[in-house]
Amino acid sequence: MDKYQEALASSHVLSDDAAVAEEVRKIVEKAPEYASPEVYAYLFSSIDLTTLSSEDNDKSVAAFTERVNAFDAEYPQYPNVAAICVYSNFAEVVNTVLDVDGVDVCVVAGGFPSSQTFQAVKVADVALAVAGGAQEVDIVMNVGQFLAEDYESLTDEIVELKHTARDARLKVILETGALRTAENIRKASVLAMYSDADFIKTSTGKIYPGASLEAAWVMCQCIKEYYNKTGRKVGFKAAGGIRTAEDALNYYAIVKEVLGDEWLTHDLFRLGASSLANSLLSVMEGKDVKFF
């Protein structure tokens, strides 16, 4: 048994799809109990506010960033979003325009969203993004290598990209919609964490179905198990199709129930979204708001 199979064999997270769905159902039933102004404000402040459009350009990304700057002045009673997430080539634009404290520069890099390019290209992409000011880098796990069980190539690449990112936080996107089963999501979570991922993230939201509560539950259970074994805390990020305050509250409930309040910090919990910000802000304000 090689070290990859050994790591997978040592994980005992529940991965029966029907059983996982039942655990999620029970948490979702309980989720409304957590609804409060404070929780909605926290969820807003956990957003990686995202623009990933083919139409993005320096001017549009600068304007997007200016809205985050303006939020501090127009809504001083609320904390701002956690980060602005853009394509890697716009890291310098966000870094230059952003002038509020506490909001990080996040990029997607490394052949996003398919991860299908040369490893050298991925390394260069991550390196250039960090040089441009990226403090967080979201990369996509190579799903093809995972499905082929080429775990050595898969994990070596993540380790290399983490080394390239240096002090930047590395979030590894599992693309759970492509993995499909709880068992595959369990395995991918374990491999990513043992490859030095700072976060594991559900989805790109581009090609396959986005985040699901079932995937989140399995990933959070894996994070809990990994922490109990190693003492290292890995963060969780849900992304792809999270649009409403109710959606966000359900993911909050999953994290709270599985990982506890320790994980309800910006260092360990994020929501990747665009329209979610306005939905949460509308709930917080008690009226329809379209600020972003």
Side-chain angles (χ1 to χ4, degrees):
M1 184 182 294
D2 64 28
K3 63 181 180 179
Y4 312 105
Q5 294 293 348
E6 186 177 345
L8 294 175
S10 70
S11 172
H12 302 292
V13 167
L14 179 68
S15 59
D16 175 82
D17 290 311
V20 169
E22 176 58 19
E23 293 298 321
V24 169
R25 184 193 65 77
K26 290 186 284 189
I27 293 176
V28 169
E29 282 187 354
K30 189 176 181 180
E33 299 175 14
Y34 295 126
S36 71
E38 293 77 20
V39 167
Y40 286 127
Y42 165 73
L43 287 167
F44 181 88
S45 71
S46 300
I47 292 174
D48 287 354
L49 192 66
T50 303
T51 179
L52 297 173
S53 168
S54 297
E55 299 173 3
D56 288 344
N57 54 65
D58 287 358
K59 185 177 178 180
S60 70
V61 171
F64 187 76
T65 306
E66 288 287 13
R67 294 306 290 160
V68 174
N69 290 338
F71 183 82
D72 265 15
E74 296 196 33
Y75 293 96
Q77 69 272 37
Y78 301 128
N80 214 321
V81 296
I84 296 173
C85 186
V86 296
Y87 282 114
S88 54
N89 51 305
F90 296 116
E92 191 169 359
V93 174
V94 177
N95 191 46
T96 300
V97 176
L98 187 64
D99 64 10
V100 293
D101 294 330
V103 178
D104 287 342
V105 180
C106 173
V107 300
V108 295
F112 181 94
S114 68
S115 194
Q116 297 290 10
T117 189
F118 300 101
Q119 184 170 323
V121 172
K122 298 179 185 182
V123 168
D125 193 14
V126 171
L128 288 166
V130 172
Q135 298 156 294
E136 304 182 357
V137 179
D138 294 16
I139 63 163
V140 185
M141 182 192 76
N142 192 310
V143 176
Q145 288 176 343
F146 174 83
L147 295 175
E149 298 186 8
D150 183 3
Y151 299 146
E152 183 172 10
S153 297
L154 172 77
T155 56
D156 284 353
E157 180 172 274
I158 296 172
V159 169
E160 176 69 14
L161 294 176
K162 172 57 185 172
H163 176 75
T164 304
R166 296 180 292 183
D167 294 333
R169 182 178 280 127
L170 187 75
K171 308 193 197 96
V172 177
I173 305 167
L174 307 184
E175 198 64 299
T176 55
L179 299 179
R180 295 184 178 86
T181 67
E183 176 64 7
N184 278 344
I185 293 166
R186 179 188 70 83
K187 289 179 178 179
S189 297
V190 170
L191 292 169
M193 289 188 292
Y194 277 94
S195 303
D196 300 331
D198 296 306
F199 265 70
I200 51 176
K201 173 180 170 182
T202 58
S203 320
T204 64
K206 290 293 184 183
I207 302 173
Y208 297 95
S212 73
L213 295 170
E214 290 77 15
W217 188 89
V218 173
M219 291 166 69
C220 287
Q221 290 288 352
C222 290
I223 289 169
K224 181 179 181 180
E225 180 184 67
Y226 179 80
Y227 172 67
N228 288 337
K229 287 180 179 178
T230 68
R232 187 170 80 91
K233 290 182 177 179
V234 174
F236 168 74
K237 178 175 174 179
I242 304 170
R243 297 183 175 89
T244 69
E246 181 182 4
D247 292 338
L249 189 64
N250 285 335
Y251 284 101
Y252 175 92
I254 294 281
V255 173
K256 186 175 179 69
E257 290 290 317
V258 176
L259 292 167
D261 291 343
E262 277 186 85
W263 258 260
L264 293 172
T265 72
H266 296 153
D267 288 336
L268 295 169
F269 175 58
R270 296 289 181 85
L271 296 165
S274 51
S275 57
L276 175 61
N278 285 332
S279 177
L280 282 169
L281 191 55
S282 295
V283 171
M284 290 151 62
E285 286 289 287
K287 61 182 180 182
D288 190 37
V289 178
K290 297 191 185 303
F291 183 84
F292 293 102

